[in-house]
Amino acid sequence: MANDAAGRDSILHGAHVLDGGLASELEFLGAQIDGPLWSARVLEEAPEKVMAVHRAYIEGGAECILTAGYQISRMGYAEAGLAPERADAALVLAAELARTVCGEFPGRRIVVAASLGPYGAALHSGAEYHGNYSCSFAELVAFHRERIAVLAESRAAADLLAFETLPSLAEALAIGEALAPWPDLAAWFSFTCRDGMHVAHGELLSDCATYVARFPQTVAIGVNCTAPALMLPLIAELRHASDKPIVIYPNSGEGWDAAARRWTGAADAVCYGEMAAQWFGAGAQIVGGCCRTRPDHIRQVAAAAHALQAGEHLLGNRG
């Protein structure tokens, strides 16, 4: 990971295309992701499938890859009857696998972001979509700090830490405190939102972005695991709040029927690419996908990014 401010701030320079959903793509490939470990179960039992997903996204045009670390925590591993040291090793393994796959594309610069889910994800109760936790603020800080420490000290460290699906300002502030011992780390903060202005817990996204922009580690701020129809107003909120690069990776557009436990609606990759062009045009610098997006979605995002860059180059030549 970058060890100075200049290196930290340049990490995402030139990266415009993020990958798509990991756990849902593993499921499409036939992997079992049920249970408290979720995609970490595949990391433990079939790491080659995780590598296959990374590879497919890079082949589809991704310039930034998220690791399979979202669900990994000592708390979650303890619930599964596993030693805490095994959780630490899994975080490192997730980064190593991503690095290995990136090495298969020697002509390309690919950023590795260590995916770190919110406290609610470790509860596997859906709490990450409301943020009403029963733990104390100090416990929330400790939860995040123990994972940060592992990645900060690992030789296989990712280029940056990606704190994802954050439901509340309180959790973002806890992460900021957890990061304090490592001011030279790079991190992005991505929130999940319930409408075009508010994060899941109810705070204004603009307020959340204003606070996290002050952390020395912050290299980008964004939104993920949210309906694509909400992206344009949310991008506007982020642009109003800070000048940090904006990272956007919504769900596919399908809806989750909790009673029937199934996805509903369509996930049209071409339509997703058309929306991605609008998100780039509105000010998003990095665009990818979250739940139920697939390599075809990322190919369309990459096409939108390339078209935008070609247009800017043409205008520059005319100027």
Side-chain angles (χ1 to χ4, degrees):
M1 234 171 285
N3 56 13
D4 58 56
R8 179 184 61 229
D9 293 342
S10 66
I11 284 173
L12 291 172
H13 180 72
H16 302 285
V17 184
L18 181 59
D19 62 4
L22 175 65
S24 55
E25 185 63 16
L26 287 169
E27 195 170 29
F28 278 123
L29 295 179
Q32 295 296 313
I33 61 169
D34 55 336
L37 295 185
W38 200 24
S39 55
R41 174 179 173 181
V42 187
L43 182 72
E44 294 276 350
E45 297 177 356
E48 70 281 358
K49 290 186 177 180
V50 173
M51 295 176 73
V53 173
H54 290 330
R55 190 176 296 114
Y57 281 127
I58 295 172
E59 290 172 345
E63 299 159 315
C64 181
I65 291 292
L66 286 155
T67 72
Y70 183 90
Q71 197 71 10
I72 299 171
S73 69
R74 293 177 182 176
M75 182 173 73
Y77 269 55
E79 183 178 343
L82 302 173
E85 295 80 9
R86 190 161 171 179
D88 296 350
L91 282 173
V92 175
L93 174 61
E96 290 176 340
L97 295 182
R99 284 279 186 213
T100 297
V101 175
C102 290
E104 298 173 6
F105 300 83
R108 293 174 57 184
R109 176 182 177 271
I110 304 164
V111 177
V112 175
S115 172
L116 295 170
Y119 181 84
L123 302 176
H124 51 86
S125 63
E128 65 268 41
Y129 298 111
H130 55 68
N132 297 315
Y133 304 153
S134 60
C135 67
S136 67
F137 184 81
E139 290 170 331
L140 201 52
V141 172
F143 171 83
H144 286 288
R145 182 168 288 173
E146 64 188 22
R147 298 185 300 169
I148 293 167
V150 170
L151 290 166
E153 297 164 10
S154 168
R155 292 182 180 178
D159 296 301
L160 63 91
L161 307 180
F163 296 100
E164 305 185 275
T165 324
L166 301 177
S168 68
L169 176 59
E171 184 151 22
L173 295 177
I175 293 169
E177 185 166 327
L179 279 167
W182 301 278
D184 291 329
L185 290 183
W188 81 42
F189 290 75
S190 183
F191 296 87
T192 184
C193 297
R194 66 186 191 187
D195 57 32
M197 293 181 66
H198 301 89
V199 300
H201 189 260
E203 297 86 4
L204 288 170
L205 174 64
S206 59
D207 287 345
C208 295
T210 298
Y211 275 101
V212 302
R214 299 169 183 165
F215 301 149
Q217 300 89 351
T218 303
V219 296
I221 306 171
V223 174
N224 76 292
C225 213
T226 300
L230 297 175
M231 290 303 107
L232 289 177
L234 291 170
I235 292 169
E237 293 295 311
L238 291 170
R239 290 190 67 184
H240 173 74
S242 90
D243 60 359
K244 295 289 184 181
I246 295 171
V247 56
I248 296 295
Y249 47 122
N251 295 333
S252 67
E254 295 168 272
W256 174 250
D257 185 332
R261 296 197 62 77
R262 64 184 180 88
W263 291 91
T264 62
D268 184 87
V270 173
C271 180
Y272 194 90
E274 292 170 350
M275 290 188 290
Q278 296 176 14
W279 303 332
F280 281 122
Q285 283 91 341
I286 305 168
V287 175
C290 201
C291 298
R292 303 283 289 184
T293 57
R294 306 195 65 187
D296 280 347
H297 292 78
I298 301 310
R299 288 188 187 92
Q300 294 296 326
V301 172
H306 294 157
L308 180 65
Q309 292 164 16
E312 290 175 345
H313 179 70
L314 180 60
L315 288 174
N317 286 341
R318 288 178 176 176

